[in-house]
Structure formats: C-alpha cells, structure tokens
Amino acid sequence: MPESETPKKKQSWRFASLSSLRSPPRSFLCHPEPRAIGSFVRGEQLLAYQFTFAGQRIEAPETSIWNLQPPGEAFLRATQNFSWLDDLAAVGDGPARKRAQAWLLEWIEAFGQNNGMGWHPGLAGQRVIHWCSHAMFLFKGLKPKASAAVFKSLGRHVNFLSNNWKNTPQGVAKFEALTGLAYAGLALEGCEYVLRPALKGLAAECASWIDDKGAIPTRNPEELSEIFTLLTWVAKLLEQTGHPADSALTSALGRMAPGLRSLRYGDGGLARFHGGGRGNEGQLDQALADAQVRSGASQNSFMGFERLSAGRVVVIMDGTTPPISDTSHASQLGFGMSSGRLKILEGCGPGQRLGKIWANACAQTAAHNAVTVEGQGARPADVSLDRAQDFESVWLSATSRGFEAAFGLIHERRLLIANNGTQFSGEDRLFPHNAATENTHPTAALARPSRGHSYMAHFHLHPDVEAEQKDQIITLTLPNAEVWNFRQEGGLMCLMDSVTIDRSFTEPRATKQIVVAGRSIDYVGGIRWSFTKA
C-alpha cells in the first residue's frame, strides 16, 4: 500500500491505559484475501538484506529492518506500514515466512507499547490491514506465546484507531485508519463492535472528501487511486464475510471509477500531477475490476484535468487552478502524452521523497510541459476551456490569465490530435488582455524599452525516449522503434537536460527536454509546434 502522509505539525494521539483496554482478540473470524500486489523481486531483495523503500536503498547484511538508519521520513513510513509483508508473501517460502515473523515480533517488542513514529492512525490502519491479510502466512508455525503477543498488539491497534481516527486530518491517512478499523471489525473475533463506527466514518468521509463527481480537493490522481483502492478492499471484505454491500461505499466507487479511468495513459499509469506518481503496477487494474463499476462513456473532463485521445495517442492536461495543498504543483496548462503503452512526454514527477529542495524544484512550472515567462510560471488563475471534434481531429483550447498580474499577458494554449493519432500539434499564444488600453499592463512591465518578454515552452521527454536534433527537426525514437518528429514555428528550439523522478528508481533518472524559446513584441508572441509520427 502506498505510504500515507503524516501531518507537518506534531500531533498528540490518545493512548488507552492498560486498565481500560478491551480484551485482545484471540482468533480470526475470517482470513481476508491479500489484495495488495507484492513483488517477488523485492521480496528476494529483503531476504538478501537489500532494503528499497520510497525509492531509496540501503544494503545492510544481517541487519534487522528496525535497526536501519532511515535516509528520510518516507523510507521510515514505508517500513512502519508493513507493506513489505506483501513482498515477502510473494516469495512465500519458509525463509520468507521466518523473516516476516521475526520482524513482526521485533516490531512488537520495540514499538508495540504505543511508542515511536509508527503510531499514527494512517500507519496503524495499514498495519492492521497487512497483518490481517497475511495472517495465514504469519501465524503458520508461530508458537502460542508469540501468537498471543500478535493478538495483544492487534488489540492495542484497534483501541488506538478507535480513539484517534476522528482527529486524523482528512485525506488518505484517514481512509487508511478507517479501513484498518473495518478490517478489524470484520476479521478479528471480539472486535465486531468497531465495524459499525468504521463504516459510518467511511460514509462520512466519502460524503465530505469525495465530491458528487468523484473528485477530491487535492487533485492528486494517485491519492484518488489510493482512496479508491482502500474502499474496494472494504467492499470486497464485506462481500467475503457475507455482509450486505454498504451503499455509501458503492456510491463513492461509482463516482470515482469513471474519472480514474480518464486519468490513465495507454500504459495504465496515472497522470503525474500535484505530488502524485503513476501508481503501483497493476493495483488500480485490480481495484477497478473489484469495484465492478461498468465503464460507460469516456469522461473527457474530470477533477480539473482534460483528456484528449485519438488513435493510440492520449494527452492529459491540467486545466484549472492548482489546489490548496502541501503537494500542489504550478502545472496549469501542463500536459503529458503517450502513444500506445509508451510514454513520450511527462513532467519531472513528485520530488517530496528526495527532500524539500527536490520537492520545490519539481513543483515549479518549468518542471512541467508548460510555458514560463521570464522564467516564471503562471500565478493561479481561472481557465476558460473550449473543445470540439470533427472528421479530422479533436481539439482543445485553454486560456489562462495567470501571467496577467505580473506581465499583462494572457496565455492561450491550443491542442489538437488528428483522428488517426498520427499527429499531435499545438499553439501557445501570449497577448494583452486589452491591446487598446495601456493600463492593462503592469507599470514595471511598461517601463521596459522593448515592451516584450522572453518565454519558453518546455516539453520534458520520458527517459526511455531517445532524442536527436537535426536542423529544425528533433527526432524522437521510442523503445519499440516508433519514431516521432518534433517541429516548431515562431521560436528557437534546442534540447536541454532534464530529470524524471519515479519511485521505482532509487535516483532521479536523466532525460532530455525540448525547449522552444521566443520573445513577445509589443505584448504579442506565439509559437506553433507539432509531434508527427514518421
């Protein structure tokens, strides 16, 4: 399960005293089917004491996972949430089981008394999910005393979640806490009492955090996918245990599924905006199948994103103002592009796990396939949209006033895909809001002798794309030998270095970006560009 975010401000949580704890569960009412997708390769790496979490790796022979020096908070969360159980279970042999049992009992010994950063409701909820889902794997051959210690710790988790889920900030962590509580109510004997409040809490969160169209306030596609996945797990466990379907969960899944489908490229990966990555391989496919929501008509506009598709080409653009959140990016009118299952264009990605410097750099407009003026991105501003389709193409026009306050300029971006998917073209225009009225331009801008501004259009390439410039054409070769040619009019183009950040890799991946530079004259400037399949 993806790691949850802990709040920036240190928050105190309520811990029940030993005298007030209910009796711990002693057995399982059912064994929930593991629904998270583990990796055999990562499991083998763990057995070899190679620890890769949150895109960072530590090699520490003969060292317990709890004796590592985590390189960052994201790494620490990824160990504390026990998602690595999925990987050891994917290996599934005796040594993998013994390693999982040892690390579980070591955690209970070191952190089980409600101490350590692992006692956050989101992380505690994930632990309950993983412990219950892998109970048959974990308890096989476990001595009675050790089994009792695990059940006692599960009881502590249930009490902790019952006392603290209401105070958890809204978002993924709160859904994780409530999902863990629902798992306990359905799977643990003696914890049935927490099922009803857990389902009521999930219903309330679905109503307040997920709007009537299935969107969430953070506009983070991966976060939306994580919440959707958690809800499908609860729905499937209700079904497995013979409980009736929960109407609030069913309704929320029905609202979210069409939008999530629209946010995927040809390879199934999610659009990477506002701190979100592409998602775990195969996880959303399974969640969509489990939700059993029929796919209806394609949704071209969802959660502020605009989707264009024709032939084998998919383009997804950020078409509204950035959200108010810690992971918000200045990606207005930025887009990504895929051809079939291969990505061609994508932004630099989420940089949070690499620290504040990377997080800030990846949030800038220049880190997206977007336009900057004098090196600056557009300020948050309303966007007007228009789209149409005819016999030859599908097109989208978006106009933003994000450069008006600083430079007196309106930005219009037009995107067009030929119906056969062989050409993706666009135009970026900069012009004054009212050319006849001098006072529409900022005083500082009017003082410039040229009354013009430099601007750049950035096109960040996927690392697997090979780029070569020959005169006025940049040739892009995809891994399957598919070739696309980039051309432009109205500016000067060049290839520059760029990076892509992906959780699947321990370091940022080097890549290239196409940059088209121009200058507005008398507050008017524009470039045309195209990607044409050879």
Short mmCIF file of all heavy atoms in Angstrom, two decimals, residues 263-321:
data_model
loop_
_atom_site.label_atom_id
_atom_site.label_comp_id
_atom_site.label_asym_id
_atom_site.label_seq_id
_atom_site.Cartn_x
_atom_site.Cartn_y
_atom_site.Cartn_z
N LEU A 263 -7.94 9.35 -16.18
CA LEU A 263 -6.65 9.90 -15.78
C LEU A 263 -5.49 8.94 -16.06
O LEU A 263 -4.38 9.14 -15.56
CB LEU A 263 -6.67 10.24 -14.28
CG LEU A 263 -7.63 11.36 -13.87
CD1 LEU A 263 -7.60 11.57 -12.37
CD2 LEU A 263 -7.30 12.66 -14.59
N ARG A 264 -5.75 7.91 -16.86
CA ARG A 264 -4.71 6.92 -17.16
C ARG A 264 -4.24 7.07 -18.60
O ARG A 264 -5.03 7.33 -19.51
CB ARG A 264 -5.25 5.50 -16.95
CG ARG A 264 -5.82 5.26 -15.58
CD ARG A 264 -6.42 3.89 -15.46
NE ARG A 264 -5.39 2.87 -15.23
CZ ARG A 264 -5.61 1.57 -15.28
NH1 ARG A 264 -6.81 1.12 -15.60
NH2 ARG A 264 -4.64 0.72 -15.04
N TYR A 265 -2.93 6.87 -18.78
CA TYR A 265 -2.36 6.84 -20.13
C TYR A 265 -2.48 5.43 -20.70
O TYR A 265 -3.03 4.52 -20.06
CB TYR A 265 -0.90 7.29 -20.08
CG TYR A 265 -0.70 8.73 -19.70
CD1 TYR A 265 -0.21 9.09 -18.45
CD2 TYR A 265 -1.02 9.76 -20.59
CE1 TYR A 265 -0.04 10.42 -18.09
CE2 TYR A 265 -0.85 11.10 -20.24
CZ TYR A 265 -0.35 11.41 -18.99
OH TYR A 265 -0.19 12.73 -18.65
N GLY A 266 -1.94 5.25 -21.88
CA GLY A 266 -2.07 3.97 -22.56
C GLY A 266 -1.43 2.81 -21.83
O GLY A 266 -1.83 1.66 -22.01
N ASP A 267 -0.43 3.09 -20.98
CA ASP A 267 0.23 2.01 -20.24
C ASP A 267 -0.47 1.70 -18.93
O ASP A 267 -0.01 0.84 -18.16
CB ASP A 267 1.69 2.37 -19.97
CG ASP A 267 1.84 3.59 -19.06
OD1 ASP A 267 0.83 4.29 -18.83
OD2 ASP A 267 2.97 3.85 -18.60
N GLY A 268 -1.58 2.37 -18.64
CA GLY A 268 -2.30 2.16 -17.40
C GLY A 268 -1.83 3.03 -16.26
O GLY A 268 -2.46 3.07 -15.20
N GLY A 269 -0.71 3.75 -16.44
CA GLY A 269 -0.20 4.62 -15.40
C GLY A 269 -1.02 5.90 -15.29
O GLY A 269 -1.60 6.38 -16.27
N LEU A 270 -1.06 6.45 -14.09
CA LEU A 270 -1.82 7.67 -13.84
C LEU A 270 -1.05 8.90 -14.28
O LEU A 270 0.19 8.91 -14.33
CB LEU A 270 -2.13 7.79 -12.35
CG LEU A 270 -3.15 6.80 -11.79
CD1 LEU A 270 -3.05 6.74 -10.27
CD2 LEU A 270 -4.57 7.19 -12.20
N ALA A 271 -1.79 9.95 -14.61
CA ALA A 271 -1.18 11.25 -14.88
C ALA A 271 -0.51 11.74 -13.60
O ALA A 271 -1.09 11.68 -12.52
CB ALA A 271 -2.24 12.24 -15.34
N ARG A 272 0.73 12.22 -13.72
CA ARG A 272 1.52 12.60 -12.55
C ARG A 272 1.41 14.10 -12.31
O ARG A 272 2.14 14.90 -12.87
CB ARG A 272 2.98 12.19 -12.74
CG ARG A 272 3.13 10.72 -13.11
CD ARG A 272 4.56 10.24 -12.92
NE ARG A 272 5.55 11.11 -13.52
CZ ARG A 272 6.85 11.03 -13.25
NH1 ARG A 272 7.29 10.14 -12.39
NH2 ARG A 272 7.71 11.84 -13.84
N PHE A 273 0.46 14.47 -11.47
CA PHE A 273 0.24 15.87 -11.15
C PHE A 273 0.10 16.03 -9.64
O PHE A 273 -0.37 15.13 -8.94
CB PHE A 273 -1.02 16.41 -11.83
CG PHE A 273 -0.89 16.59 -13.32
CD1 PHE A 273 -1.44 15.68 -14.20
CD2 PHE A 273 -0.22 17.69 -13.85
CE1 PHE A 273 -1.34 15.84 -15.57
CE2 PHE A 273 -0.10 17.86 -15.22
CZ PHE A 273 -0.66 16.95 -16.08
N HIS A 274 0.48 17.20 -9.15
CA HIS A 274 0.26 17.63 -7.77
C HIS A 274 0.75 16.61 -6.74
O HIS A 274 0.04 16.26 -5.80
CB HIS A 274 -1.21 17.97 -7.56
CG HIS A 274 -1.69 19.04 -8.49
ND1 HIS A 274 -1.14 20.30 -8.51
CD2 HIS A 274 -2.62 19.02 -9.49
CE1 HIS A 274 -1.72 21.01 -9.46
NE2 HIS A 274 -2.61 20.26 -10.07
N GLY A 275 1.99 16.15 -6.96
CA GLY A 275 2.63 15.28 -6.00
C GLY A 275 2.34 13.81 -6.16
O GLY A 275 2.85 12.99 -5.39
N GLY A 276 1.54 13.44 -7.15
CA GLY A 276 1.20 12.04 -7.36
C GLY A 276 2.09 11.38 -8.40
O GLY A 276 2.56 12.03 -9.34
N GLY A 277 2.32 10.08 -8.21
CA GLY A 277 3.06 9.30 -9.18
C GLY A 277 2.12 8.51 -10.07
O GLY A 277 0.91 8.73 -10.09
N ARG A 278 2.69 7.56 -10.81
CA ARG A 278 1.90 6.77 -11.75
C ARG A 278 1.07 5.70 -11.07
O ARG A 278 0.18 5.10 -11.68
CB ARG A 278 2.81 6.14 -12.80
CG ARG A 278 3.68 5.00 -12.30
CD ARG A 278 4.60 4.45 -13.38
NE ARG A 278 3.88 4.10 -14.58
CZ ARG A 278 3.23 2.96 -14.75
NH1 ARG A 278 3.16 2.07 -13.78
NH2 ARG A 278 2.63 2.71 -15.90
N GLY A 279 1.33 5.43 -9.79
CA GLY A 279 0.62 4.38 -9.08
C GLY A 279 1.36 3.06 -9.14
O GLY A 279 2.24 2.86 -9.97
N ASN A 280 1.01 2.15 -8.23
CA ASN A 280 1.65 0.84 -8.19
C ASN A 280 1.19 -0.01 -9.36
O ASN A 280 -0.01 -0.05 -9.69
CB ASN A 280 1.32 0.12 -6.88
CG ASN A 280 2.03 0.76 -5.69
OD1 ASN A 280 2.99 1.50 -5.86
ND2 ASN A 280 1.55 0.47 -4.50
N GLU A 281 2.13 -0.70 -9.98
CA GLU A 281 1.85 -1.51 -11.16
C GLU A 281 0.74 -2.52 -10.87
O GLU A 281 0.84 -3.34 -9.97
CB GLU A 281 3.12 -2.25 -11.58
CG GLU A 281 3.01 -2.97 -12.91
CD GLU A 281 3.10 -2.02 -14.09
OE1 GLU A 281 3.78 -0.99 -13.98
OE2 GLU A 281 2.47 -2.32 -15.12
N GLY A 282 -0.32 -2.45 -11.64
CA GLY A 282 -1.40 -3.43 -11.56
C GLY A 282 -2.42 -3.21 -10.47
O GLY A 282 -3.49 -3.82 -10.48
N GLN A 283 -2.11 -2.33 -9.48
CA GLN A 283 -3.01 -2.17 -8.34
C GLN A 283 -4.34 -1.55 -8.74
O GLN A 283 -5.41 -2.00 -8.31
CB GLN A 283 -2.34 -1.32 -7.26
CG GLN A 283 -3.06 -1.35 -5.92
CD GLN A 283 -2.97 -2.69 -5.23
OE1 GLN A 283 -1.91 -3.10 -4.79
NE2 GLN A 283 -4.09 -3.39 -5.14
N LEU A 284 -4.32 -0.51 -9.57
CA LEU A 284 -5.56 0.13 -9.97
C LEU A 284 -6.37 -0.78 -10.89
O LEU A 284 -7.61 -0.78 -10.84
CB LEU A 284 -5.26 1.47 -10.66
CG LEU A 284 -6.48 2.30 -11.08
CD1 LEU A 284 -7.44 2.52 -9.92
CD2 LEU A 284 -6.05 3.63 -11.67
N ASP A 285 -5.70 -1.55 -11.74
CA ASP A 285 -6.42 -2.52 -12.57
C ASP A 285 -7.24 -3.47 -11.71
O ASP A 285 -8.41 -3.72 -11.98
CB ASP A 285 -5.43 -3.33 -13.42
CG ASP A 285 -4.83 -2.52 -14.55
OD1 ASP A 285 -5.57 -1.77 -15.20
OD2 ASP A 285 -3.62 -2.63 -14.77
N GLN A 286 -6.61 -3.99 -10.65
CA GLN A 286 -7.31 -4.91 -9.77
C GLN A 286 -8.45 -4.21 -9.04
O GLN A 286 -9.55 -4.76 -8.90
CB GLN A 286 -6.35 -5.52 -8.75
CG GLN A 286 -7.02 -6.47 -7.77
CD GLN A 286 -6.04 -7.08 -6.79
OE1 GLN A 286 -5.08 -7.70 -7.19
NE2 GLN A 286 -6.30 -6.88 -5.49
N ALA A 287 -8.19 -2.98 -8.56
CA ALA A 287 -9.23 -2.25 -7.82
C ALA A 287 -10.43 -1.95 -8.72
O ALA A 287 -11.58 -2.08 -8.29
CB ALA A 287 -8.65 -0.95 -7.26
N LEU A 288 -10.18 -1.55 -9.96
CA LEU A 288 -11.29 -1.28 -10.88
C LEU A 288 -12.08 -2.55 -11.17
O LEU A 288 -13.32 -2.52 -11.27
CB LEU A 288 -10.76 -0.68 -12.18
CG LEU A 288 -10.27 0.77 -12.10
CD1 LEU A 288 -9.47 1.15 -13.34
CD2 LEU A 288 -11.45 1.73 -11.91
N ALA A 289 -11.39 -3.67 -11.29
CA ALA A 289 -12.09 -4.94 -11.51
C ALA A 289 -12.91 -5.32 -10.28
O ALA A 289 -14.05 -5.78 -10.39
CB ALA A 289 -11.09 -6.04 -11.85
N ASP A 290 -12.33 -5.12 -9.08
CA ASP A 290 -13.03 -5.46 -7.84
C ASP A 290 -14.26 -4.58 -7.61
O ASP A 290 -15.25 -5.02 -7.05
CB ASP A 290 -12.09 -5.32 -6.64
CG ASP A 290 -11.03 -6.41 -6.60
OD1 ASP A 290 -11.22 -7.44 -7.27
OD2 ASP A 290 -10.01 -6.23 -5.90
N ALA A 291 -14.17 -3.32 -8.05
CA ALA A 291 -15.28 -2.39 -7.83
C ALA A 291 -16.50 -2.75 -8.66
O ALA A 291 -17.63 -2.38 -8.32
CB ALA A 291 -14.84 -0.97 -8.15
N GLN A 292 -16.28 -3.45 -9.76
CA GLN A 292 -17.37 -3.91 -10.63
C GLN A 292 -18.26 -2.75 -11.09
O GLN A 292 -19.48 -2.86 -11.13
CB GLN A 292 -18.21 -4.97 -9.92
CG GLN A 292 -17.42 -6.22 -9.56
CD GLN A 292 -18.24 -7.26 -8.82
OE1 GLN A 292 -19.34 -6.98 -8.35
NE2 GLN A 292 -17.71 -8.47 -8.71
N VAL A 293 -17.60 -1.63 -11.39
CA VAL A 293 -18.31 -0.47 -11.93
C VAL A 293 -18.17 -0.51 -13.44
O VAL A 293 -17.05 -0.45 -13.97
CB VAL A 293 -17.74 0.85 -11.38
CG1 VAL A 293 -18.47 2.05 -12.00
CG2 VAL A 293 -17.86 0.88 -9.86
N ARG A 294 -19.26 -0.65 -14.12
CA ARG A 294 -19.20 -0.73 -15.58
C ARG A 294 -18.63 0.55 -16.16
O ARG A 294 -18.94 1.65 -15.73
CB ARG A 294 -20.60 -0.98 -16.16
CG ARG A 294 -21.16 -2.35 -15.83
CD ARG A 294 -22.52 -2.54 -16.48
NE ARG A 294 -23.08 -3.86 -16.20
CZ ARG A 294 -24.26 -4.26 -16.65
NH1 ARG A 294 -25.00 -3.45 -17.40
NH2 ARG A 294 -24.69 -5.47 -16.34
N SER A 295 -17.78 0.38 -17.15
CA SER A 295 -17.22 1.56 -17.79
C SER A 295 -18.22 2.08 -18.80
O SER A 295 -18.64 1.36 -19.69
CB SER A 295 -15.88 1.22 -18.44
OG SER A 295 -16.03 0.63 -19.67
N GLY A 296 -18.61 3.35 -18.60
CA GLY A 296 -19.56 3.98 -19.51
C GLY A 296 -18.83 4.81 -20.55
O GLY A 296 -17.72 4.50 -20.96
N ALA A 297 -19.49 5.88 -20.94
CA ALA A 297 -18.87 6.79 -21.92
C ALA A 297 -17.62 7.42 -21.33
O ALA A 297 -17.52 7.66 -20.13
CB ALA A 297 -19.88 7.87 -22.31
N SER A 298 -16.64 7.65 -22.20
CA SER A 298 -15.38 8.23 -21.74
C SER A 298 -15.62 9.62 -21.15
O SER A 298 -16.45 10.37 -21.62
CB SER A 298 -14.38 8.33 -22.90
OG SER A 298 -14.91 9.14 -23.93
N GLN A 299 -14.86 9.91 -20.07
CA GLN A 299 -15.00 11.18 -19.36
C GLN A 299 -13.83 12.06 -19.74
O GLN A 299 -12.70 11.82 -19.34
CB GLN A 299 -15.03 10.92 -17.85
CG GLN A 299 -15.61 12.05 -17.05
CD GLN A 299 -15.99 11.59 -15.64
OE1 GLN A 299 -16.04 10.41 -15.36
NE2 GLN A 299 -16.27 12.53 -14.78
N ASN A 300 -14.09 13.12 -20.52
CA ASN A 300 -13.02 13.96 -21.03
C ASN A 300 -12.56 15.03 -20.04
O ASN A 300 -11.44 15.52 -20.15
CB ASN A 300 -13.45 14.63 -22.33
CG ASN A 300 -13.63 13.63 -23.46
OD1 ASN A 300 -12.88 12.65 -23.55
ND2 ASN A 300 -14.62 13.86 -24.31
N SER A 301 -13.42 15.39 -19.09
CA SER A 301 -13.08 16.40 -18.09
C SER A 301 -13.36 15.82 -16.71
O SER A 301 -14.48 15.40 -16.43
CB SER A 301 -13.90 17.68 -18.28
OG SER A 301 -13.64 18.25 -19.55
N PHE A 302 -12.33 15.81 -15.86
CA PHE A 302 -12.51 15.26 -14.52
C PHE A 302 -11.48 15.88 -13.58
O PHE A 302 -10.30 15.92 -13.89
CB PHE A 302 -12.36 13.74 -14.52
CG PHE A 302 -12.41 13.12 -13.15
CD1 PHE A 302 -13.60 13.09 -12.43
CD2 PHE A 302 -11.27 12.61 -12.56
CE1 PHE A 302 -13.65 12.54 -11.16
CE2 PHE A 302 -11.30 12.05 -11.29
CZ PHE A 302 -12.50 12.01 -10.60
N MET A 303 -11.95 16.37 -12.44
CA MET A 303 -11.10 16.88 -11.36
C MET A 303 -10.16 17.98 -11.84
O MET A 303 -9.04 18.14 -11.35
CB MET A 303 -10.30 15.71 -10.73
CG MET A 303 -9.87 15.96 -9.28
SD MET A 303 -9.41 14.44 -8.39
CE MET A 303 -7.85 14.06 -9.18
N GLY A 304 -10.60 18.74 -12.86
CA GLY A 304 -9.78 19.82 -13.39
C GLY A 304 -8.82 19.39 -14.47
O GLY A 304 -8.06 20.22 -14.99
N PHE A 305 -8.83 18.12 -14.85
CA PHE A 305 -7.95 17.62 -15.91
C PHE A 305 -8.75 17.39 -17.18
O PHE A 305 -9.93 17.00 -17.14
CB PHE A 305 -7.27 16.31 -15.49
CG PHE A 305 -6.40 16.46 -14.27
CD1 PHE A 305 -6.83 16.02 -13.03
CD2 PHE A 305 -5.15 17.05 -14.36
CE1 PHE A 305 -6.05 16.16 -11.91
CE2 PHE A 305 -4.35 17.20 -13.24
CZ PHE A 305 -4.80 16.76 -12.01
N GLU A 306 -8.10 17.65 -18.31
CA GLU A 306 -8.73 17.49 -19.61
C GLU A 306 -8.02 16.38 -20.38
O GLU A 306 -6.79 16.37 -20.47
CB GLU A 306 -8.66 18.81 -20.41
CG GLU A 306 -9.32 19.98 -19.73
CD GLU A 306 -10.83 19.80 -19.59
OE1 GLU A 306 -11.44 19.26 -20.53
OE2 GLU A 306 -11.38 20.19 -18.54
N ARG A 307 -8.80 15.48 -20.94
CA ARG A 307 -8.24 14.34 -21.67
C ARG A 307 -8.58 14.45 -23.15
O ARG A 307 -9.74 14.71 -23.52
CB ARG A 307 -8.81 13.03 -21.12
CG ARG A 307 -8.34 11.77 -21.86
CD ARG A 307 -9.11 10.55 -21.36
NE ARG A 307 -8.74 9.34 -22.08
CZ ARG A 307 -7.81 8.48 -21.70
NH1 ARG A 307 -7.15 8.70 -20.57
NH2 ARG A 307 -7.54 7.40 -22.41
N LEU A 308 -7.56 14.30 -23.98
CA LEU A 308 -7.73 14.22 -25.43
C LEU A 308 -7.17 12.87 -25.88
O LEU A 308 -6.09 12.47 -25.44
CB LEU A 308 -6.95 15.33 -26.13
CG LEU A 308 -7.46 16.77 -26.02
CD1 LEU A 308 -6.46 17.71 -26.65
CD2 LEU A 308 -8.81 16.92 -26.67
N SER A 309 -7.89 12.17 -26.74
CA SER A 309 -7.38 10.89 -27.24
C SER A 309 -7.90 10.65 -28.65
O SER A 309 -9.03 11.00 -28.98
CB SER A 309 -7.81 9.74 -26.32
OG SER A 309 -9.21 9.63 -26.26
N ALA A 310 -7.03 10.07 -29.46
CA ALA A 310 -7.38 9.70 -30.83
C ALA A 310 -6.36 8.68 -31.30
O ALA A 310 -5.16 8.83 -31.03
CB ALA A 310 -7.39 10.91 -31.75
N GLY A 311 -6.82 7.66 -32.00
CA GLY A 311 -5.90 6.60 -32.40
C GLY A 311 -5.29 5.99 -31.15
O GLY A 311 -6.00 5.60 -30.21
N ARG A 312 -3.98 5.92 -31.10
CA ARG A 312 -3.27 5.36 -29.94
C ARG A 312 -2.68 6.45 -29.05
O ARG A 312 -1.93 6.14 -28.11
CB ARG A 312 -2.16 4.42 -30.44
CG ARG A 312 -2.68 3.27 -31.28
CD ARG A 312 -1.57 2.43 -31.89
NE ARG A 312 -0.84 1.67 -30.88
CZ ARG A 312 0.43 1.82 -30.58
NH1 ARG A 312 1.15 2.76 -31.22
NH2 ARG A 312 1.03 1.08 -29.66
N VAL A 313 -3.01 7.71 -29.32
CA VAL A 313 -2.43 8.83 -28.58
C VAL A 313 -3.38 9.29 -27.48
O VAL A 313 -4.58 9.46 -27.70
CB VAL A 313 -2.10 10.00 -29.52
CG1 VAL A 313 -1.68 11.23 -28.73
CG2 VAL A 313 -1.00 9.60 -30.49
N VAL A 314 -2.83 9.51 -26.29
CA VAL A 314 -3.57 10.05 -25.16
C VAL A 314 -2.81 11.26 -24.62
O VAL A 314 -1.59 11.19 -24.40
CB VAL A 314 -3.75 9.01 -24.03
CG1 VAL A 314 -4.41 9.65 -22.81
CG2 VAL A 314 -4.59 7.83 -24.51
N VAL A 315 -3.52 12.36 -24.41
CA VAL A 315 -2.95 13.58 -23.82
C VAL A 315 -3.82 13.97 -22.64
O VAL A 315 -5.05 14.00 -22.76
CB VAL A 315 -2.88 14.73 -24.84
CG1 VAL A 315 -2.45 16.03 -24.16
CG2 VAL A 315 -1.93 14.39 -25.98
N ILE A 316 -3.20 14.24 -21.51
CA ILE A 316 -3.93 14.68 -20.31
C ILE A 316 -3.32 16.00 -19.84
O ILE A 316 -2.12 16.08 -19.59
CB ILE A 316 -3.87 13.62 -19.19
CG1 ILE A 316 -4.47 12.29 -19.68
CG2 ILE A 316 -4.61 14.11 -17.94
CD1 ILE A 316 -4.34 11.15 -18.68
N MET A 317 -4.18 17.02 -19.72
CA MET A 317 -3.72 18.37 -19.38
C MET A 317 -4.35 18.84 -18.08
O MET A 317 -5.51 18.56 -17.79
CB MET A 317 -4.08 19.35 -20.51
CG MET A 317 -3.54 20.76 -20.29
SD MET A 317 -4.14 21.95 -21.53
CE MET A 317 -5.78 22.30 -20.87
N ASP A 318 -3.57 19.57 -17.29
CA ASP A 318 -4.07 20.21 -16.08
C ASP A 318 -4.77 21.50 -16.50
O ASP A 318 -4.13 22.47 -16.88
CB ASP A 318 -2.92 20.50 -15.13
CG ASP A 318 -3.40 21.03 -13.78
OD1 ASP A 318 -4.61 21.30 -13.63
OD2 ASP A 318 -2.56 21.17 -12.87
N GLY A 319 -6.09 21.52 -16.42
CA GLY A 319 -6.86 22.61 -16.99
C GLY A 319 -7.56 23.51 -16.02
O GLY A 319 -8.58 24.12 -16.36
N THR A 320 -7.04 23.64 -14.79
CA THR A 320 -7.67 24.56 -13.85
C THR A 320 -6.62 25.05 -12.85
O THR A 320 -5.44 24.79 -13.00
CB THR A 320 -8.85 23.88 -13.12
OG1 THR A 320 -9.59 24.85 -12.40
CG2 THR A 320 -8.36 22.80 -12.18
N THR A 321 -7.07 25.79 -11.84
CA THR A 321 -6.15 26.36 -10.85
C THR A 321 -5.56 25.27 -9.96
O THR A 321 -6.22 24.26 -9.70
CB THR A 321 -6.86 27.40 -9.98
OG1 THR A 321 -8.00 26.78 -9.37
CG2 THR A 321 -7.33 28.57 -10.80
#
